[in-house]
């Protein structure tokens, strides 16, 4: 099967966005779409192998799309001016609603796949389109879902001081790093991730060494920890027959105690625990395994 990844730079509600697609793009009006909503960083390129694996295992029956978070990717529309066009969590929620409304063909059947904070965004998307006749969301898969108590999680506790007090220091360090030649950046990233790291991981990570992008990443993360506390039980109850949650067995963002609490609050919700040891940031090493898993769920 021939796989062609198409990349577009688009504006979604005037917000700079990277859009990736395998199979028909939005101009071709596909009937069946898998739409991936990323975590944070919301660099769509991290999901390249994940997208390809889903497309192959579904035998090309679905268009597979990924939409970046606003301002998280290098596009011609991204301004280099710090402090301008910075998007918080609510902006990203509206961004995905606008994308679906403006770019998903009317009547198309959509399967949503969220990762990390992308799962919180999907819950808001489900709520926004509950009464829509134009958007048909068949199923939502929430992978390693950060939908509650982010600040109280082990990772949230560690990162809160950085996000609260030292964001500008991190941005300053990225400003310095931005002057490093591209080849040296890539060599340093291979040193960090390991020589077996896939090219798309290195390329996506290089995008983060941009002061404006890292400003958006850190500001969104700060708002996540500040705002994501109570799970949206109302939406989960209403859509539990068409929602699946997949928790990591050792996840510093959504520990197993969160899984236990959720299944007690939302009776009969499909909330599974990973038995293969995949990390929260599965796109770094487990894209194929997770892509196969999502495709199997869709086919079952």
């Amino acid at each position: 099967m021939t796989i062609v990844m198409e990349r577009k730079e688009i504006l979604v509600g005037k917000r700079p966005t990277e859009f990736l697609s395998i199979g028909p793009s939005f101009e071709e009006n596909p009937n069946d779409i898998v739409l991936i909503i990323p975590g944070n960083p919301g660099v769509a390129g991290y999901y390249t192998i994940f997208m390809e694996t889903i497309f192959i295992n579904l035998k090309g029956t679905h268009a597979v799309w990924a939409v970046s978070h606003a301002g998280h990717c290098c596009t011609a529309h991204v301004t280099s001016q710090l402090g301008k066009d910075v998007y918080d969590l609510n902006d990203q929620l509206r961004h995905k609603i606008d994308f679906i409304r403006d770019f998903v063909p009317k009547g198309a059947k959509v399967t949503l796949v969220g990762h990390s904070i992308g799962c919180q965004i999907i819950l808001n998307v489900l709520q926004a389109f509950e009464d829509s006749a134009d958007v048909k969301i068949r199923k939502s898969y929430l992978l390693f879902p950060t939908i509650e108590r982010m600040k109280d999680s082990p990772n949230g506790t560690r990162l809160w001081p950085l996000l609260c007090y030292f964001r500008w220091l991190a941005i300053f360090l990225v400003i310095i790093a931005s002057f490093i030649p591209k080849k040296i950046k890539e060599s340093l990233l291979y040193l960090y991730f390991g020589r077996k790291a896939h090219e798309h991981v290195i390329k996506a990570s290089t995008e983060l060494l941009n002061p404006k992008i890292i400003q958006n990443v850190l500001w969104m993360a700060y708002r996540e920890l500040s705002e994501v506390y109570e799970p949206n039980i109302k939406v989960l109850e209403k859509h539990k027959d068409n929602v699946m949650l997949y928790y990591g067995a050792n996840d510093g963002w959504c520990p197993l105690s969160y899984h236990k609490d959720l299944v007690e609050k939302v009776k009969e919700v499909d909330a599974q625990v990973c038995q293969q040891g995949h990390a929260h940031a599965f796109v770094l090493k487990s894209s194929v395994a997770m892509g196969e898993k999502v495709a199997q769920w869709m086919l079952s």
Side-chain angles (χ1 to χ4, degrees):
M1 181 183 298
T2 302
I3 299 175
V4 178
M5 173 78 73
E6 185 175 5
R7 178 184 182 273
K8 289 184 172 72
E9 296 181 4
I10 59 176
L11 287 174
V12 179
K14 298 183 179 180
R15 306 174 191 93
T17 307
E18 180 180 60
F19 171 78
L20 302 181
S21 63
I22 303 176
S25 187
F26 48 78
E27 303 97 337
E28 300 163 88
N29 298 322
N31 292 319
D32 295 281
I33 301 166
V34 177
L35 176 59
I36 297 165
I37 310 296
N40 186 10
V43 181
Y46 277 120
Y47 297 83
T48 299
I49 300 299
F50 182 61
M51 294 173 67
E52 291 176 353
T53 304
I54 293 174
F55 184 80
I56 291 170
N57 281 268
L58 294 179
K59 302 186 186 306
T61 57
H62 291 62
V64 181
W65 295 359
V67 57
S68 75
H69 292 322
H72 281 222
C73 293
C74 294
T75 75
H77 305 295
V78 172
T79 175
S80 60
Q81 185 177 346
L82 292 175
K84 185 179 180 181
D85 297 335
V86 181
Y87 307 102
D88 62 18
L89 180 57
N90 285 328
D91 292 324
Q92 301 293 358
L93 298 176
R94 173 52 58 184
H95 175 257
K96 304 311 175 295
I97 292 170
D98 288 345
F99 174 82
I100 292 172
R101 183 171 289 130
D102 295 343
F103 290 91
V104 171
K106 290 183 179 180
K109 297 181 285 292
V110 182
T111 299
L112 297 174
V113 180
H115 175 215
S116 192
I117 195 62
C119 302
Q120 175 75 356
I121 292 173
I122 283 177
L123 293 181
N124 283 267
V125 167
L126 291 175
Q127 193 168 29
F129 290 103
E130 281 177 351
D131 300 319
S132 173
D134 295 331
V135 179
K136 299 178 181 180
I137 300 174
R138 303 179 68 181
K139 188 84 174 184
S140 298
Y141 298 99
L142 311 185
L143 310 178
F144 307 95
T146 53
I147 59 174
E148 61 176 302
R149 293 176 283 175
M150 287 190 67
K151 187 178 175 182
D152 294 340
S153 69
N155 285 355
T157 301
R158 284 192 291 270
L159 281 178
W160 176 251
L162 167 65
L163 295 172
C164 194
Y165 304 112
F166 300 106
R167 287 197 310 277
W168 281 104
L169 175 59
I171 293 168
F172 175 73
L173 294 174
V174 171
I175 291 173
I176 295 174
S178 67
F179 291 101
I180 299 174
K182 182 180 177 182
K183 289 292 185 182
I184 297 178
K185 288 180 189 175
E186 292 176 349
S187 296
L188 291 172
L189 288 168
Y190 272 115
L191 188 64
Y192 178 77
F193 288 113
R195 299 309 304 179
K196 293 183 179 180
H198 197 279
E199 181 183 354
H200 79 273
V201 171
I202 302 303
K203 183 178 179 181
S205 299
T206 303
E207 291 197 52
L208 296 178
L209 298 178
N210 176 300
K212 186 55 189 290
I213 289 175
I214 207 67
Q215 182 185 27
N216 263 303
V217 168
L218 294 177
W219 178 241
M220 180 181 174
Y222 172 72
R223 299 311 305 172
E224 290 173 40
L225 269 63
S226 301
E227 297 170 11
V228 179
Y229 194 77
E230 291 292 337
N232 197 330
I233 299 299
K234 181 180 178 181
V235 172
L236 285 167
E237 280 282 6
K238 188 166 185 176
H239 297 275
K240 65 182 179 182
D241 291 339
N242 296 308
V243 170
M244 180 197 165
L245 301 98
Y246 191 73
Y247 286 80
N250 185 24
D251 191 336
W253 284 113
C254 37
L256 286 180
S257 59
Y258 289 14
H259 169 267
K260 179 181 178 182
D261 291 345
L262 187 76
V263 296
E264 290 176 355
K265 291 175 182 176
V266 186
K267 303 299 182 184
E268 299 181 1
V269 67
D270 187 359
Q272 301 181 20
V273 176
C274 176
Q275 302 298 320
Q276 289 77 41
H278 300 312
H280 184 91
F282 72 86
V283 291
L284 300 180
K285 295 182 178 179
S286 303
S287 288
V288 171
M290 288 303 301
E292 290 174 345
K293 194 175 290 291
V294 169
Q296 289 169 5
W297 292 333
M298 290 182 63
L299 293 170
S300 63

